[in-house]
Amino acid sequence: MPSHWKILAVLALAAPLVPGAPVRAEVRHAAPAGFEIGGDVVIHAAPDEVWARLVQPDAWWSTGHRWFEGGRLTLDLRPDGCWCETGADGAGARHMTVGYMDPGKGLTLLGGLGPLQALGLDGALRLTLTPVAGGTRLGWTYVVTGYQPGGVEALAGPVDGVLAEQITRLKAAVESGPDA
């Protein structure tokens, strides 16, 4: 089994253990040439507060899901802007690029997250912010496509688990306040 498959298998087993994982995270569709995952969660803050933290991924994205130890994440908020990571000694990686942004309402990021890049897979992560009683409903959909011998449907669950963890971390970061 290639090492990236082993990593994803471990993530799939660990994902249900994430405390407070969003209730509405799910694999919506999985097939040999791609998958769609997504969910939603209510964050107890106004959309502008959620947006302000969302666009600062270094503040909430898990250090365990970065390319480099001590890597720093930045998001250049403009069309085709880079969600990039910089590491020590000039190392760097592009995680995704901005395909669409409407501050306080929505963001679409394009690209394959983590090991999906090395597999030649591509994706679109759409995040929507909707005001609701008591805060903001953050919805997300990640559609991944591409070819891999044997198909890609087995990756849907592990990737969904990783994204659910990150959304849970974002919710906690927003709800703990701006200085957390």
Side-chain angles (χ1 to χ4, degrees):
M1 175 183 288
S3 63
H4 61 269
W5 289 102
K6 291 177 186 174
I7 292 167
L8 288 168
V10 169
L11 294 174
L13 295 172
L17 305 176
V18 175
V23 175
R24 292 199 23 94
E26 64 181 340
V27 174
R28 296 177 176 158
H29 180 77
F35 57 86
E36 178 182 337
I37 59 177
D40 61 43
V41 65
V42 172
I43 299 176
H44 302 289
D48 61 334
E49 295 173 68
V50 176
W51 177 264
R53 191 56 70 105
L54 171 66
V55 299
Q56 297 177 14
D58 197 58
W60 55 271
W61 193 269
S62 169
T63 58
H65 292 287
R66 300 185 188 200
W67 288 107
F68 310 107
E69 186 175 332
R72 185 172 187 285
L73 300 174
T74 57
L75 179 58
D76 182 7
L77 275 180
R78 61 179 178 81
D80 222 20
C82 186
W83 174 14
C84 289
E85 179 177 348
T86 54
D89 300 325
R94 180 195 70 178
H95 287 267
M96 302 182 104
T97 58
V98 175
Y100 168 86
M101 58 176 263
D102 188 356
K105 297 179 183 174
L107 178 66
T108 301
L109 298 167
L110 307 173
L113 284 169
L116 301 182
Q117 273 187 18
L119 297 174
L121 303 179
D122 202 9
L125 174 60
R126 186 171 139 219
L127 301 139
T128 58
L129 289 77
T130 307
V132 295
T136 302
R137 179 173 307 283
L138 173 66
W140 73 94
T141 301
Y142 189 35
V143 177
V144 174
T145 61
Y147 168 78
Q148 280 295 301
V152 300
E153 62 266 34
L155 300 174
V159 174
D160 184 58
V162 170
L163 272 179
E165 175 192 353
Q166 305 318 309
I167 298 297
T168 300
R169 292 174 58 83
L170 172 61
K171 174 180 169 59
V174 172
E175 291 179 348
S176 66
D179 298 325

